[in-house]
Amino acid sequence: MDLAVELSSRTGRTDAIYRALHSALTTGRVPAGERLPSTRDLARDLGVSRASVATAYERLVAEGFLETRTGAGTFATAAASDTAPARRRNPGVLRPRAGWRWQVRPASGDRPAPAHDFRVGIPDATLFPFDTWRRLLAAESRAGGPAAGSYGGPAGLPRFRAAVARYATGSRGVRAGADDVVATTGAQQALDLVARVLLEPGDVVAVEDPGYPEARELFALHGAEVVPVPVDADGLVVDQIPARARLVYTTPSHQFPLGMPLSLARRRALLAHAARHGAAVVEDDYDSEFRRVNRPLEPLQALDRDGRVVYVGTFSKSLLPGLRVGYLVAPPSLRDALLAARQLTDGHGAVHVQGALARLIDDGLLARHVRKASAVYAERHEILLDALAGLPLEVVPSAAGLHVAAYLADGVPVGSQAVVARARRGSVGLESLAAFATGPHRDGLVLGVGAAVTSSIRPGIQTLGRLLEP
Ligand SMILES: Cc1ncc(COP(=O)(O)O)c(C=O)c1O
């Protein structure tokens, strides 16, 4: 099989092989029923590791484009050759363009919560000030209020932008005035807007590995060549970022999912790298309001002297994910394009929600809520660490946030994915590090404290402990 694979970077090979195979299969160059080379042969031909080829094959098997027949090898399925030729045979069948490979995740609210709920990234809704919120929303929703009649600007309600600038400055040390803030539909839209205005197809985007899949896949969807960069105890390993990366996506306050902060030396090195190579840095500060240290490290955005950092904040963890409110703070050079992108893609956000949130901030109620929730999460975090202490796990130290990662110690007889599947049967909800990694990584687990009922933590960890026993 003649396969053209663009392998210009050391990392991101699995992705490159996947794309080349996907294209060969869906354009009919590899017809249904054809046997693919063994992973060993293809790896040798391409000069890559066998694991890279095997992972690409596994992905295509999972998507139904390849099938493995025991003892016989790996074959192209009819589903693969259906895709492109089917358009010609049956013009009525519409198919998405190549590249749509993201599998929609089930919504966390669609399934009953596990009794021991260590799912990642879910805040405790019972702490949310619903009565106050209802009152503020009602006030914003009256006839003649800001939501009445007209369209708003793409940057968001001026009151909201001013309140958010004060909040991000006061709580996180971000350097921003009202004009610097653009309201978004959560962090995810902020990433999308940044990708739209900065990336050309084929541009290299460096992401942390393990890292946030929603960011990684979004950049890939915009045509970027996504290059995973490893993370160590100091966070993103800056000297492994490719020089030609146009954009670097990072979670410096609380690395997602491992949890360590990016050290000050690495922060400086990252900014120096960005300045040297003309790259943009996207700083995703998704849950660091919940901190367990007095003086957090300054955000990259505040250390940036060259206008290279786009800071992304969200109220998905500090309030509720369902509000779908976030924001970005961008250098002035990008602002007009970002506003144009927001206006053309979805107009603007819900003004009455932004108005109510501005009041929540201005009246000091958001800060109060965050203080209260931080204390609850810090207690759960402490109980969780105490309960984990007896298990064959190595907890990754973190100073903030809603979850904890822990590596499996040597000698644990099962892999993390098997642990997660078995734990689920015992009504313990948690995640495997494998769900967030693309390359080789230490095996481990990720446990959230946001949704966990405090009294259910110890019994949940006892159940987990039984699954880790030799
Ligand atoms: C790394 C990271 N960024 C951002 C978010 C929040 O995204 P959004 O604001 O779109 O809800 C999450 C939530 O899980 C996250 O884990």
Side-chain angles (χ1 to χ4, degrees):
M1 189 180 62
D2 198 11
L3 192 69
V5 185
E6 171 64 44
L7 288 173
S8 39
S9 65
R10 218 169 53 74
T11 46
R13 292 182 162 184
T14 299
D15 211 46
I17 297 163
Y18 166 85
R19 280 165 192 270
L21 283 167
H22 185 275
S23 158
L25 289 160
T26 54
T27 53
R29 273 188 289 133
V30 179
E34 182 159 315
R35 182 168 176 277
L36 272 82
S38 69
T39 52
R40 187 194 305 273
D41 288 351
L42 186 54
R44 196 197 45 235
D45 291 351
L46 296 175
V48 300
S49 75
R50 195 172 166 192
S52 300
V53 176
T55 309
Y57 274 26
E58 278 162 23
R59 212 143 105 192
L60 290 157
V61 168
E63 290 171 351
F65 292 127
L66 293 180
E67 62 183 351
T68 48
R69 297 183 205 150
T70 317
T74 305
F75 295 83
T77 64
S81 53
D82 265 1
T83 313
R87 282 201 203 136
R88 290 193 289 275
R89 275 202 310 275
N90 178 1
V93 178
L94 294 180
R95 300 204 185 256
R97 66 174 165 82
W100 279 103
R101 59 185 193 202
W102 177 256
Q103 305 273 321
V104 173
R105 292 188 191 288
S108 50
D110 282 356
R111 294 196 203 140
H116 310 285
D117 193 354
F118 303 110
R119 287 174 303 162
V120 177
I122 306 175
D124 187 342
T126 66
L127 302 173
F128 182 77
F130 281 104
D131 290 343
T132 308
W133 183 248
R134 262 199 305 277
R135 179 171 54 73
L136 295 176
L137 261 187
E140 294 293 327
S141 308
R142 69 196 182 284
S150 45
Y151 285 101
L157 208 58
R159 278 188 295 133
F160 172 81
R161 299 171 74 199
V164 167
R166 276 194 297 277
Y167 174 71
T169 303
S171 77
R172 289 295 298 116
V174 172
R175 285 167 207 237
D179 289 347
D180 302 311
V181 172
V182 179
T184 62
T185 304
Q188 195 65 19
Q189 191 191 32
L191 302 181
D192 182 54
L193 296 177
V194 171
R196 279 173 195 279
V197 306
L198 274 174
L199 298 179
E200 308 269 6
D203 274 352
V204 169
V205 173
V207 298
E208 296 167 334
D209 192 27
Y212 188 44
E214 279 81 348
R216 191 166 65 219
E217 294 296 324
L218 176 72
F219 296 130
L221 195 61
H222 280 289
E225 181 192 338
V226 178
V227 176
V229 176
V231 172
D232 68 14
D234 286 330
L236 179 68
V237 181
V238 172
D239 61 15
Q240 293 204 29
I241 297 172
R244 63 201 178 93
R246 166 98 171 113
L247 188 156
V248 181
Y249 167 80
T250 178
T251 47
S253 305
H254 185 228
Q255 201 279 330
F256 188 88
L258 291 173
M260 69 288 278
L262 186 67
S263 69
L264 187 56
R266 289 271 175 88
R267 282 172 200 245
R268 296 210 170 107
L270 176 54
L271 292 173
H273 175 101
R276 205 163 46 246
H277 299 289
V281 176
V282 176
E283 174 174 29
D284 181 355
D285 198 8
Y286 60 103
D287 74 350
S288 73
E289 284 104 330
F290 303 117
R291 57 176 167 260
R292 299 176 290 276
V293 291
N294 284 335
R295 278 181 55 85
L297 290 168
E298 267 194 289
L300 288 167
Q301 192 268 354
L303 297 169
D304 174 27
R305 298 285 171 266
D306 300 303
R308 303 247 143 241
V309 176
V310 180
Y311 177 91
V312 173
T314 178
F315 295 100
S316 286
K317 317 295 162 179
S318 54
L319 287 169
L320 293 176
L323 293 179
R324 303 310 303 137
V325 188
Y327 58 96
L328 59 81
V329 176
S333 57
L334 293 180
R335 211 166 293 154
D336 288 349
L338 287 166
L339 295 183
R342 170 110 216 216
Q343 191 157 62
L344 286 175
T345 49
D346 85 331
H348 62 82
V351 285
H352 48 289
V353 173
Q354 291 175 13
L357 198 35
R359 283 283 309 277
L360 201 75
I361 295 172
D362 288 341
D363 294 352
L365 301 173
L366 174 62
R368 193 160 84 192
H369 166 71
V370 168
R371 263 198 311 278
K372 187 171 128 189
S374 288
V376 173
Y377 298 145
E379 186 197 4
R380 287 180 193 163
H381 181 262
E382 205 171 307
I383 295 172
L384 178 64
L385 291 200
D386 191 54
L388 290 173
L391 305 191
L393 294 170
E394 185 189 319
V395 171
V396 181
S398 63
L402 283 183
H403 65 263
V404 169
Y407 297 119
L408 299 187
D410 293 342
V412 171
V414 271
S416 63
Q417 282 164 301
V419 172
V420 168
R422 287 185 211 168
R424 200 168 290 150
R425 292 198 281 279
S427 208
V428 180
L430 76 171
E431 310 259 10
S432 155
L433 271 180
F436 307 107
T438 58
H441 61 281
R442 271 186 82 180
D443 200 11
L445 301 168
V446 193
L447 299 103
V449 294
V453 176
T454 307
S455 61
S456 76
I457 295 177
R458 284 186 195 283
I461 298 303
Q462 273 162 15
T463 306
L464 176 65
R466 286 193 287 278
L467 300 176
L468 299 174
E469 277 165 15

